Amino acid sequence: MMIGRVVGSVVSTQKDERLESLKLLVVQVHDHTNAPTERYVVAVDAVQAGLDDVVLFATGSSARQTRLTNDKPCDAVIMAIVDSWDVDGTNVYEKWA
Amino acid sequence: MMIGRVVGSVVSTQKDERLESLKLLVVQVHDHTNAPTERYVVAVDAVQAGLDDVVLFATGSSARQTRLTNDKPCDAVIMAIVDSWDVDGTNVYEKWA
Amino acid sequence: MMIGRVVGSVVSTQKDERLESLKLLVVQVHDHTNAPTERYVVAVDAVQAGLDDVVLFATGSSARQTRLTNDKPCDAVIMAIVDSWDVDGTNVYEKWA
Amino acid sequence: MMIGRVVGSVVSTQKDERLESLKLLVVQVHDHTNAPTERYVVAVDAVQAGLDDVVLFATGSSARQTRLTNDKPCDAVIMAIVDSWDVDGTNVYEKWA
Amino acid sequence: MMIGRVVGSVVSTQKDERLESLKLLVVQVHDHTNAPTERYVVAVDAVQAGLDDVVLFATGSSARQTRLTNDKPCDAVIMAIVDSWDVDGTNVYEKWA
């Protein structure tokens, strides 16, 4: 899994039938200091994430292992909202700070 | 999933039997400002996308989770045509603009 | 899928039993102008491709979705020989030119 | 598989139900001289790894092939703690040194 | 698949039970001229490869398609020892030379 921040969303009306009613969010990938990188991914939201939330996302076939994404053409899913994470004893992100 | 623009197509007569009748489109990958990158992918079209459409595509085993691509040697599928997407409150693409 | 050119082959006698009789070709990956890149992949040939053919290959679990590669430790397959492809209205490759 | 060092952990209360009770560790990826790179991954711990342990992790669908991660939206798992590894006759890491 | 050279091995006593008795080798990835790159992978050995052997390895779910690695948390497997390979009519590697 990787960590990123929800920075936006994608609207689509003409799409595969199995995608109906799924929320598609744009996640900007963060590096190990919680700083934003140039990379992004569009992920299905499985945890009611909101704009600016720092989240954990899974990619590949693992992205289909939630009730919402099972058997769907979805290769990225947000499966956790991060409260905090630390690296080498330093708190690099704290949601409630 | 990633976002890209349909820039072309691929014609092939000698191919695996399971690929018969699938439309193969060339998608140029876009970055998070909707600007084109140097990367591309050839994807099966599952949503009747046309040239210049901005689309969402899925890769890996998830690309086989549409009725069209099920059990086929296909590792990328266009599964949505993007109407609009926004990043940090800015509309980076609007189909009907 | 990506596009590349068949540039060589790999010979191996000591290999997993499930690989017996599969032809292993070296494919140099092309960019979106059909120019060669520094990247390559070794792929199983499912379409009788020959040296110098421009081909389409699939990777990951999708590479096992041909009759030849089913259930085999193969993560890349050539599943189509390209006749032509075009990008933004320009024909970047034409087999019979 | 790749080798890395456990450098931290991620705390999340709002997450997919299937992730309950899994420990999420931050692993900094090492290169082939055992030196840290800029890359990291968040992985589920399947072997009681601790901070600073050098570990082996698997990604993709293979990350779901442990009793702990089976059928879960997890795309990276720590499946071994490294005692030692050597490259070209040189011991690049020794746990008990 | 990619080609690389076996440059070392990894020793681990505390590991997932399904990994017992598997040999874990360090493979340095080669480029298309058979020259070593900075990339490496740790792979399970399915063909009795030895130090310095030039080998073919598969990654992802395909790495589980050998008798040895079936259903195991293994995302890379050595499935062939290379005797020779050639690129554009040039023999870039010959085992018995």
Side-chain angles (χ1 to χ4, degrees):
Chain A
M1 284 75 71
M2 299 284 286
I3 288 174
R5 186 173 63 93
V6 178
V7 294
S9 59
V10 176
V11 176
S12 168
T13 43
Q14 194 174 333
K15 58 188 163 186
D16 187 81
E17 54 189 3
R18 302 191 199 175
L19 287 174
E20 293 300 336
S21 82
L22 294 182
K23 194 164 51 155
L24 297 164
L25 297 180
V26 183
V27 178
Q28 186 163 20
V29 182
H30 281 193
D31 68 15
H32 66 290
T33 65
N34 200 46
T37 70
E38 290 295 296
R39 294 168 53 208
Y40 78 98
V41 71
V42 177
V44 167
D45 177 23
V47 288
Q48 312 261 47
L51 198 65
D52 271 334
D53 275 343
V54 170
V55 296
L56 206 57
F57 63 92
T59 57
S61 59
S62 301
R64 299 196 306 271
Q65 305 291 324
T66 71
R67 220 184 308 172
L68 219 57
T69 55
N70 196 25
D71 292 332
K72 292 186 178 159
C74 153
D75 65 9
V77 71
I78 297 173
M79 17 61 93
I81 297 177
V82 175
D83 293 332
S84 68
W85 65 300
D86 57 88
V87 169
D88 280 325
T90 303
N91 178 260
V92 294
Y93 171 74
E94 176 64 50
K95 187 176 181 171
W96 309 110
Chain B
M1 284 75 72
M2 299 284 287
I3 287 174
R5 187 173 63 93
V6 178
V7 295
S9 59
V10 176
V11 176
S12 168
T13 43
Q14 194 173 334
K15 56 188 165 186
D16 188 81
E17 55 189 3
R18 303 191 197 176
L19 287 174
E20 294 300 338
S21 83
L22 293 183
K23 193 164 53 155
L24 297 165
L25 297 179
V26 183
V27 178
Q28 186 163 20
V29 183
H30 281 193
D31 69 15
H32 67 290
T33 65
N34 200 46
T37 69
E38 290 294 296
R39 294 167 53 207
Y40 77 98
V41 71
V42 177
V44 167
D45 177 23
V47 288
Q48 313 261 47
L51 198 64
D52 270 334
D53 275 344
V54 171
V55 296
L56 205 57
F57 63 93
T59 57
S61 59
S62 301
R64 300 196 307 271
Q65 305 290 324
T66 72
R67 220 184 310 171
L68 220 58
T69 55
N70 196 25
D71 291 333
K72 292 185 178 159
C74 153
D75 64 9
V77 71
I78 297 173
M79 17 62 93
I81 296 177
V82 175
D83 293 332
S84 68
W85 65 300
D86 57 87
V87 169
D88 280 324
T90 303
N91 178 261
V92 293
Y93 172 75
E94 177 63 52
K95 187 175 183 172
W96 309 109
Chain C
M1 284 76 71
M2 299 283 287
I3 288 174
R5 187 174 62 93
V6 178
V7 295
S9 59
V10 176
V11 177
S12 168
T13 42
Q14 194 173 332
K15 57 187 164 189
D16 188 80
E17 55 190 2
R18 302 191 198 175
L19 287 174
E20 293 300 337
S21 82
L22 294 182
K23 193 165 52 154
L24 297 165
L25 296 180
V26 183
V27 178
Q28 186 164 21
V29 183
H30 282 194
D31 69 16
H32 66 291
T33 66
N34 199 46
T37 68
E38 291 293 298
R39 294 167 53 207
Y40 78 98
V41 72
V42 177
V44 167
D45 177 23
V47 288
Q48 314 261 47
L51 199 65
D52 270 334
D53 275 344
V54 170
V55 296
L56 205 57
F57 63 92
T59 57
S61 58
S62 301
R64 299 196 307 271
Q65 305 290 323
T66 71
R67 219 184 311 170
L68 219 58
T69 54
N70 196 25
D71 291 334
K72 293 186 178 161
C74 153
D75 63 9
V77 72
I78 296 172
M79 17 62 91
I81 296 177
V82 175
D83 292 334
S84 68
W85 65 300
D86 57 87
V87 169
D88 280 324
T90 303
N91 178 260
V92 293
Y93 171 76
E94 177 62 53
K95 187 176 181 171
W96 310 109
Chain D
M1 284 76 70
M2 298 283 287
I3 288 174
R5 187 172 63 92
V6 178
V7 294
S9 59
V10 176
V11 176
S12 168
T13 42
Q14 195 173 334
K15 57 188 164 188
D16 187 82
E17 54 190 4
R18 301 191 199 175
L19 286 174
E20 294 299 337
S21 82
L22 294 183
K23 193 164 53 156
L24 298 164
L25 297 180
V26 183
V27 178
Q28 187 164 20
V29 183
H30 281 194
D31 68 16
H32 67 291
T33 65
N34 200 45
T37 69
E38 291 294 296
R39 293 168 52 208
Y40 79 97
V41 70
V42 177
V44 167
D45 176 23
V47 288
Q48 313 262 46
L51 198 65
D52 271 334
D53 275 344
V54 170
V55 295
L56 206 57
F57 63 92
T59 57
S61 59
S62 301
R64 300 197 306 271
Q65 304 290 324
T66 71
R67 219 183 311 170
L68 219 58
T69 54
N70 196 26
D71 292 333
K72 292 184 178 162
C74 153
D75 63 9
V77 71
I78 297 173
M79 17 62 93
I81 297 177
V82 175
D83 293 334
S84 68
W85 65 300
D86 57 270
V87 169
D88 279 324
T90 304
N91 178 261
V92 294
Y93 171 74
E94 177 63 52
K95 187 174 182 172
W96 309 110
Chain E
M1 283 76 71
M2 299 284 286
I3 288 175
R5 187 172 63 92
V6 178
V7 294
S9 59
V10 175
V11 176
S12 167
T13 42
Q14 194 173 333
K15 56 187 165 188
D16 187 81
E17 55 191 3
R18 302 190 198 176
L19 288 174
E20 293 300 337
S21 82
L22 294 182
K23 193 164 53 155
L24 297 164
L25 297 180
V26 184
V27 177
Q28 186 163 20
V29 183
H30 282 193
D31 68 15
H32 67 290
T33 66
N34 199 46
T37 69
E38 291 294 296
R39 293 169 53 208
Y40 78 97
V41 70
V42 177
V44 166
D45 176 23
V47 288
Q48 313 260 48
L51 199 64
D52 270 334
D53 276 344
V54 170
V55 295
L56 206 57
F57 64 92
T59 56
S61 59
S62 301
R64 299 196 306 271
Q65 305 290 324
T66 72
R67 218 183 312 170
L68 219 58
T69 54
N70 196 25
D71 291 333
K72 291 184 179 162
C74 154
D75 64 9
V77 71
I78 297 173
M79 18 62 93
I81 297 178
V82 175
D83 292 333
S84 68
W85 65 299
D86 57 87
V87 169
D88 279 325
T90 304
N91 177 260
V92 294
Y93 171 75
E94 177 62 51
K95 187 175 182 171
W96 310 109

